[in-house]
Amino acid sequence: NKGDTANPNYRSRLVGREFNTYRDDALYAATPPLDALRLIISHAAATTRRGGGHGGRWRGEMHMELMINDVSRAYFYAPATRSLFVELPAEDGSAKPGEVGRLNVCLYGTRDAAKEWQQTLSRHLEGIGFVRGVGYPAVFSHPERGIKTLVHGDDYVSAGESQDFDWLESELLKQYEIKTQRTRPREDGGHVEAKILNRIVRRTQHGYELEADPRHAELLIQELTKEESRSISAPGSAEVSEEKEGEELKGEQAIRYRALAARLNHISSDRPDMQYAVKEACREMSSPTTGSWARVERMAKYLKGKPRLVWRFGWQDFSATFDVFTDANWAGCRRTRKSTSGGCIMVGDHCIKSWAKTQSLIAKSSAESELYAVVKASTEALGIMTLAQELGDELKTRV
């Protein structure tokens, strides 16, 4: 059910099951980082002042739109490149006993389906003028029309101007069956919402907003808190000592802890306020203790008071520079005396990326730990610069 209880939208699909009998790294299909989505939204919220648009027209001072295209039954558009045979379902009715079917197109569940679909969509986009990324092969830019696009599975997310989106939508419709959402401004100035990768993107009078899927937070609150328990103001605490660690978790409880920590790790990509606390919980997944469990419960109580977090991308002038901020907490881990590097990357007032990462070496001084933090920030900056370049923008960086 891709809808909800009030508005159900049931989907069914025939899925094959190919057995992994050999290793083949060539079956890999890339996915874009979450930073690419934020860069595209940030670009849509930037006031365009540059000329040289399609047909030589002046692009003037304006705000761009976002367009989300979902390709229906995407893998069936990719031709099969291997000789694969599948047992036909009883509902088919045309197969004689003992007969199997040879695939003409990729079937969901086969090992190379995602790769072949990615090759198919890439050939199509390159054929209509897009340039494919090299370091990030799931992002594309159209130099002539100024469209920036990422493709995650069968979902396209693009930033561009309205008339260019009319063209792109028509080109996609020539090739595929698609569903389209566009964040055109409403005449009454109200909010326009769309869904991207289970996230909500919202166009308002002040810019764009991005909100994570709230269901993961709801599940953690439901599993780890009682109805009468109160929320707390911080997701973690530095007051951790050896005596508070308690006994090691065993069996089902340890498995349950790892599942909860994995869900928190997924949430943390959208929650900078929780990244440090979640990182500490994930460090203990190999041998969790009762103290580890208490820290996860604390995060659930924090989520109870703050279940939603909205990223705001306000209207702003185009910025040609990334600002990277970083710091380190020297010997912040009381057990290992390792430091944590933290930081964020901004373009104007828009946050594109944030991180909290335990340093692999034990720093002997605060200066040494901060040096490691600067190196980490610089590598993150180089990655974001490459991503921006492959989306069509040459941006400088200052750390």
Side-chain angles (χ1 to χ4, degrees):
N1 182 9
K2 297 193 79 171
D4 52 34
T5 306
N7 301 289
N9 177 20
Y10 289 103
R11 296 285 298 278
S12 302
R13 178 174 287 141
L14 175 66
V15 178
R17 183 175 60 179
E18 182 180 358
F19 297 100
N20 183 3
T21 56
Y22 62 94
R23 177 174 176 174
D24 187 352
D25 293 334
L27 300 179
Y28 171 79
T31 55
L34 191 54
D35 316 332
L37 174 61
R38 297 187 191 123
L39 265 180
I40 285 176
I41 297 174
S42 174
H43 180 75
T47 303
T48 305
R49 295 179 180 272
R50 294 167 291 177
H54 181 59
R57 67 177 183 272
W58 175 254
R59 295 167 71 175
E61 291 192 20
M62 59 184 298
H63 300 132
M64 295 189 179
E65 294 180 16
L66 290 172
M67 181 169 74
I68 301 100
N69 307 102
D70 180 8
V71 179
S72 300
R73 301 175 297 280
Y75 288 179
F76 296 158
Y77 292 103
T81 57
R82 297 182 294 153
S83 291
L84 283 180
F85 298 85
V86 294
E87 296 174 351
L88 297 172
E91 293 85 354
D92 181 86
S94 63
K96 298 176 183 177
E99 285 187 339
V100 293
R102 182 182 179 185
L103 293 178
N104 295 320
V105 297
C106 291
L107 180 66
Y108 287 82
T110 53
R111 296 177 65 198
D112 61 345
K115 185 202 79 166
E116 296 301 335
W117 159 243
Q118 190 166 77
Q119 297 292 356
T120 299
L121 74 89
S122 299
R123 284 193 296 268
H124 174 246
L125 288 177
E126 289 174 313
I128 58 176
F130 279 87
V131 177
R132 186 182 185 185
V134 178
Y136 298 89
V139 303
F140 302 82
S141 65
H142 198 294
E144 192 176 349
R145 293 182 177 271
I147 303 174
K148 304 181 189 305
T149 297
L150 68 83
V151 185
H152 191 290
D154 55 7
D155 293 314
Y156 293 63
V157 182
S158 308
E161 296 179 20
S162 181
Q163 55 268 43
D164 293 319
F165 278 170
D166 293 339
W167 166 81
L168 178 57
E169 187 176 1
S170 68
E171 290 294 326
L172 291 173
L173 281 168
K174 291 176 187 175
Q175 201 76 7
Y176 316 116
E177 180 185 338
I178 63 171
K179 297 175 183 174
T180 299
Q181 305 173 78
R182 289 173 64 168
T183 60
R184 288 190 179 98
R186 280 172 43 171
E187 292 182 4
D188 61 1
H191 295 179
V192 181
E193 286 191 357
K195 290 200 77 173
I196 301 175
L197 308 176
N198 289 327
R199 293 170 173 85
I200 301 166
V201 63
R202 190 179 296 112
R203 179 174 179 144
T204 72
Q205 292 179 332
H206 307 290
Y208 284 96
E209 295 179 350
L210 180 66
E211 182 178 345
D213 184 352
R215 290 177 296 177
H216 295 287
E218 291 168 3
L219 288 169
L220 283 162
I221 294 166
Q222 181 180 342
E223 186 164 354
L224 288 171
T225 65
K226 297 177 181 178
E227 191 173 338
E228 65 275 10
S229 61
R230 292 186 299 174
S231 62
I232 55 178
S233 60
S237 171
E239 300 302 318
V240 178
S241 63
E242 295 284 354
E243 298 80 43
K244 294 182 180 179
E245 287 308 295
E247 299 178 357
E248 186 174 341
L249 302 179
K250 301 291 185 183
E252 288 296 324
Q253 196 171 13
I255 293 171
R256 189 178 165 210
Y257 175 86
R258 294 183 185 109
L260 293 168
R263 190 180 293 278
L264 281 164
N265 192 39
H266 176 75
I267 288 176
S268 69
S269 60
D270 292 292
R271 299 286 302 239
D273 56 329
M274 297 183 65
Q275 281 176 342
Y276 179 82
V278 171
K279 182 262 297 184
E280 291 296 301
C282 290
R283 289 178 66 199
E284 300 166 350
M285 287 178 75
S286 59
S287 48
T289 65
T290 52
S292 309
W293 188 270
R295 286 188 281 279
V296 167
E297 285 184 329
R298 180 187 177 95
M299 282 183 265
K301 290 177 181 177
Y302 173 76
L303 283 170
K304 189 171 185 178
K306 297 177 176 61
R308 300 169 59 206
L309 185 143
V310 175
W311 295 60
R312 288 179 175 165
F313 298 84
W315 307 129
Q316 65 177 17
D317 290 341
F318 176 80
S319 175
T321 304
F322 286 119
D323 288 310
V324 186
F325 300 88
T326 186
D327 201 356
N329 69 337
W330 179 40
C333 178
R334 304 265 181 117
R335 295 185 297 276
T336 65
R337 294 301 173 187
K338 288 185 176 180
S339 311
T340 294
S341 299
C344 65
I345 299 178
M346 309 284 291
V347 54
D349 291 332
H350 301 164
C351 185
I352 305 299
K353 185 181 182 71
S354 63
W355 64 88
K357 183 174 176 59
T358 303
Q359 296 177 2
S360 57
L361 300 174
I362 298 177
K364 306 299 191 297
S365 68
S366 60
E368 185 181 348
S369 71
E370 290 181 354
L371 172 63
Y372 296 150
V374 169
V375 172
K376 168 68 176 172
S378 301
T379 59
E380 295 288 353
L382 287 169
I384 286 288
M385 287 172 68
T386 301
L387 179 58
Q389 184 179 29
E390 298 196 337
L391 284 168
D393 287 327
E394 294 282 349
L395 272 72
K396 296 180 179 179
T397 294
R398 55 189 172 201
V399 180

